[in-house]
Amino acid sequence: MIQQLKLEIAKLRRDKYGISSERRARLIDQLELQLEELEAAATEDALTAEQTAQNTSCTVRAFALRKPVRKPFPEHLPRERVVVAAPTSCTCCGSDRIVKMGEDVTETLEVIPRRWKVIQTVREKFTCRSCEKISQPPAPFHAIPRGWAGPQLIAMVAFEKYGQHQPLNRQAERFAREGVGLSLSTLADLIGHACVALAPIHALIERHVLEGTRVHGDDTTVPLLARGGTRTARLWTYVRDDRPFNGRAPPAAFFKFSPDRQMIHPNKHLALWHGILQSDVYGGYNDLYLAHRTPGPVRSALCWSHARRKFFEMADIRGNARKKKPAYEISPIALEAVKRIDAIFDVEREINGMDADARLAVRKQRSRPLAEDLRNWLLDERARLSKHNGVAKAIDYFTTPKYGRWAAFTEFLDDGRICLTNNAAERALRGIALGRKSWLFAGSERGGDRAAFMYTLIVTAKLNDIDPQAWMADVLARLPDKPLSRMQERLPRCWRAVPEKVPLAASR
């Protein structure tokens, strides 16, 4: 049952990222709760069986359960030795001539509850007996005015809200239980101060993304509080990730918020940029592809995962079997299309991380014949289908001449830098999709802009394998040490080289 629930949750999560719905989200929550209860019950049953076997005198055959292999605890964690008092004499004969021959160590992971402290910064005053003037060292820099909150606290509140999807009211309640009363408005002030202080870093990340010649673009829905209820707003992301073709530029992502999905928004976001845009077939990008556009037309590279998904929904054998659907409801044409598309994906997995020229050479030799055969086969099958057939609609998504989509889908065959999918942008939006059920809605358009601001910092840090909270705390603490001309040194891609980051990260 546990394995079946895991498969069902994985299937629902895959569907959720394609077409989100409240019912599906609630169903995932219910299945995860059921999975949690089953695993807990399985553990209790195993322990009960062990105890019963030990207490009974008769010999019974043990259950054929595979004992889990526990991974060792991280080496950087501090170790506290608790030595059990050794015997002073032999437990067998009573002699006191015993010698230590070794020891057995059992490691148990424990956590220390969060501890709060108040740092008192003292500036001593001195008076001169000659001129009677007072001397005092200047006040140190603080992350916010008057310095009542330290950088670690500011970073924690910001990351909990946007990285862990914990609204400020829940954080305030938890702080109160820990004996520190911080009001909701006080915590909101911290977020505002953090956005102002980190604005230069955000600007550098956005500029770095738009300096790339290839960018992934996508958007997701965000409920926006409005009069009488909520309306659907959008969070847009643009991701620069050159690692698939062994590019040297570090990955980064920046986000934008808009109250709707009008095409004017991507036109503003990418007004001064031109290059290769990897995206879905959303028509809001069409103005970017115009030949007379200034500073130049954008090249479209469409996502094969989106196209494959339309066929896969009609060829999901395991899903249909689980729903007890008859075999004739599985489309053989869709199943064959999935197999042919997967052959192209197999080639991409082999060349991922190679240089652009090497990727292009392999694609010309192996992927181009597969793509051409796929298109010819799809067109032949399409000629036999009604326009209302679901498979026909999936084929039209791929090969519609009206929009020239096939040329955009096969753009990767002429440029080794282009990826086969737009998964980089979808991964950047995954945290937002998971967090919507926690924070429910954006309180205002300014709140949506702040969310986009903080997601830019957090997702970029994660793309560079950096702890976002530790990085933000270090940047807030050291901003006065660096002029704007050296602000590049505080970006996530450079932060790993800072030696002071180790104790900050270890102190969490």
Side-chain angles (χ1 to χ4, degrees):
M1 290 180 67
I2 289 174
Q3 294 299 326
Q4 181 180 356
L5 279 174
K6 288 182 177 179
L7 287 173
E8 185 70 19
I9 291 171
K11 171 66 165 53
L12 287 171
R13 287 197 180 280
R14 187 192 66 220
D15 293 344
K16 182 173 182 290
Y17 297 135
I19 303 176
S20 180
S21 67
E22 291 297 328
R23 179 183 176 277
R24 190 175 291 118
R26 290 195 300 270
L27 182 58
I28 291 176
D29 292 340
Q30 294 170 2
L31 289 176
E32 286 181 335
L33 180 60
Q34 186 179 358
L35 175 62
E36 174 186 335
E37 297 296 339
L38 281 174
E39 290 182 332
T43 302
E44 290 180 0
D45 293 343
L47 292 176
T48 303
E50 291 179 3
Q51 294 174 358
T52 303
Q54 293 174 359
N55 296 332
T56 55
S57 58
C58 61
T59 303
V60 295
R61 187 173 62 180
F63 292 101
L65 292 178
R66 183 176 59 183
K67 293 185 177 181
V69 179
R70 180 175 60 82
K71 295 182 179 179
F73 297 128
E75 293 294 334
H76 70 271
L77 294 179
R79 260 63 175 177
E80 176 185 347
R81 285 177 61 90
V82 178
V83 182
V84 180
T88 58
S89 60
C90 178
T91 57
C92 179
C93 66
S95 172
D96 58 355
R97 300 179 62 187
I98 57 177
V99 180
K100 180 179 179 179
M101 61 173 294
E103 62 183 18
D104 292 330
V105 179
T106 301
E107 290 191 340
T108 303
L109 187 64
E110 186 57 283
V111 61
I112 300 175
R114 180 165 52 200
R115 293 179 294 180
W116 297 79
K117 66 179 180 179
V118 177
I119 300 177
Q120 294 181 335
T121 302
V122 180
R123 295 186 296 138
E124 296 178 328
K125 294 181 180 181
F126 292 88
T127 181
C128 178
R129 294 188 176 181
S130 297
C131 64
E132 298 184 353
K133 297 293 185 180
I134 297 176
S135 298
Q136 186 181 28
F141 170 84
H142 294 287
I144 66 173
R146 295 180 298 278
W148 72 267
Q152 292 280 359
L153 175 58
I154 300 172
M156 181 188 68
V157 172
F159 181 70
E160 286 288 321
K161 176 175 173 60
Y162 297 103
Q164 300 297 328
H165 319 298
Q166 293 297 314
L168 294 181
N169 62 321
R170 299 180 190 174
Q171 295 190 51
E173 293 174 359
R174 188 171 73 249
F175 296 162
R177 290 194 297 268
E178 296 173 2
V180 179
L182 296 176
S183 66
L184 181 63
S185 60
T186 300
L187 297 180
D189 287 341
L190 293 185
I191 299 295
H193 286 301
C195 291
V196 173
L198 296 171
I201 302 293
H202 178 274
L204 289 176
I205 293 175
E206 182 173 345
R207 188 178 72 181
H208 173 72
V209 173
L210 295 180
E211 286 176 350
T213 57
R214 184 185 65 92
V215 169
H216 295 267
D218 203 353
D219 65 286
T220 189
T221 58
V222 176
L224 175 64
L225 187 63
R227 182 175 298 177
T230 60
R231 58 174 175 165
T232 302
R234 292 281 167 171
L235 269 174
W236 308 75
T237 187
Y238 302 95
V239 181
R240 179 182 182 182
D241 191 353
D242 298 343
R243 292 174 294 182
F245 61 89
N246 197 25
R248 296 294 182 261
F254 80 89
F255 290 74
K256 291 291 186 180
F257 174 82
S258 66
D260 49 49
R261 206 192 186 196
Q262 295 182 20
M263 63 190 309
I264 189 176
H265 301 299
N267 289 337
K268 287 182 178 179
H269 303 158
L270 304 176
L272 302 178
W273 178 84
H274 69 97
I276 304 169
L277 177 62
Q278 299 217 226
S279 65
D280 53 23
V281 297
Y282 168 54
Y285 299 123
N286 289 346
D287 283 355
L288 301 173
Y289 310 140
L290 298 177
H292 60 272
R293 176 181 179 268
T294 303
V298 171
R299 291 169 57 191
S300 173
L302 297 181
C303 176
W304 281 66
S305 286
H306 284 78
R308 179 186 181 275
R309 190 176 301 148
K310 296 184 177 299
F311 291 106
F312 185 80
E313 291 171 353
M314 294 175 285
D316 189 359
I317 298 176
R318 179 180 295 177
N320 286 358
R322 187 164 54 246
K323 297 174 185 177
K324 298 181 180 180
K325 290 185 177 181
Y328 63 79
E329 292 192 16
I330 298 172
S331 169
I333 300 177
L335 183 60
E336 178 64 21
V338 170
K339 292 180 180 179
R340 290 172 178 259
I341 295 173
D342 285 348
I344 300 176
F345 273 90
D346 291 339
V347 177
E348 290 299 309
R349 294 187 185 96
E350 296 178 15
I351 64 177
N352 187 39
M354 297 172 58
D355 294 337
D357 294 338
R359 285 158 59 93
L360 182 59
V362 174
R363 286 171 173 174
K364 288 182 176 179
Q365 180 182 4
R366 299 173 57 185
S367 298
R368 186 178 292 276
L370 294 174
E372 292 176 353
D373 291 344
L374 172 65
R375 182 173 184 269
N376 294 333
W377 177 78
L378 288 175
L379 293 177
D380 291 341
E381 296 295 335
R382 177 65 181 87
R384 304 186 183 96
L385 298 173
S386 166
K387 66 178 182 178
H388 301 293
N389 189 295
V391 178
K393 295 179 180 179
I395 295 176
D396 291 342
Y397 182 92
F398 235 147
T399 61
T400 302
K402 177 180 177 181
Y403 303 108
R405 286 180 182 171
W406 183 254
F409 273 112
T410 56
E411 191 75 19
F412 77 102
L413 296 174
D414 299 316
D415 195 325
R417 298 170 298 172
I418 299 177
C419 292
L420 194 62
T421 70
N422 194 35
N423 290 344
E426 293 193 354
R427 286 192 296 267
L429 293 171
R430 180 171 297 176
I432 301 172
L434 293 175
R436 277 194 297 253
K437 61 184 179 182
S438 295
W439 43 262
L440 300 181
F441 52 78
S444 64
E445 293 189 21
R446 287 288 302 277
D449 291 334
R450 277 191 296 272
F453 181 99
M454 297 305 301
Y455 282 129
T456 296
L457 303 178
I458 292 172
V459 174
T460 299
K462 289 182 177 180
L463 286 173
N464 289 272
D465 298 325
I466 294 299
D467 180 357
Q469 181 176 331
W471 167 71
M472 281 194 289
D474 183 67
V475 169
L476 289 170
R478 304 181 191 280
L479 274 177
D481 299 337
K482 300 291 182 184
L484 290 177
S485 59
R486 298 184 59 186
M487 198 60 65
Q488 292 274 359
E489 300 176 12
R490 291 300 176 215
L491 291 174
R493 63 175 183 264
C494 305
W495 188 72
R496 68 182 65 201
V498 179
E500 293 87 354
K501 86 177 182 71
V502 178
L504 282 173
S507 65
R508 289 185 54 204

